[in-house]
Amino acid sequence: MAQIQTLEALAAALRTKLPEQRDFYVVNTRLILQTGVNLRRIRTEQNQSVVLIQAVLDALARMGVVIGGKSP
């Protein structure tokens, strides 16, 4: 998988990883609290921020959700 370039791409990958809408919402709520990023309503100025993308990936990894690699 190519490196994720936008938060929109990351949100799409997460939706694929967590197809149940409620699971996506739970993880998204935790992301909002930890990073300030809402993957349901991505702000234009946030979408291509490398720093925010990495922060979200790090937060997901702490939750045990790995995007683009092996997961538990």
Side-chain angles (χ1 to χ4, degrees):
M1 177 182 209
Q3 184 174 342
I4 293 175
Q5 302 278 329
T6 65
L7 287 172
E8 288 173 344
L10 191 133
L14 184 59
R15 285 185 189 277
T16 300
K17 185 84 166 181
L18 303 172
E20 291 292 327
Q21 189 173 28
R22 69 176 180 268
D23 295 337
F24 177 84
Y25 286 175
V26 167
V27 169
N28 188 55
T29 299
R30 291 183 66 189
L31 289 172
I32 293 167
L33 294 171
Q34 291 182 36
T35 67
V37 173
N38 181 348
L39 292 179
R40 291 182 58 212
R41 293 187 186 100
I42 300 166
R43 295 194 322 242
T44 304
E45 66 273 9
Q46 291 180 327
N47 193 39
Q48 294 183 348
S49 170
V50 176
V51 172
L52 287 178
I53 293 167
Q54 190 59 54
V56 171
L57 288 170
D58 292 344
L60 287 170
R62 287 191 300 273
M63 290 182 231
V65 179
V66 178
I67 301 295
K70 295 180 181 178
S71 64

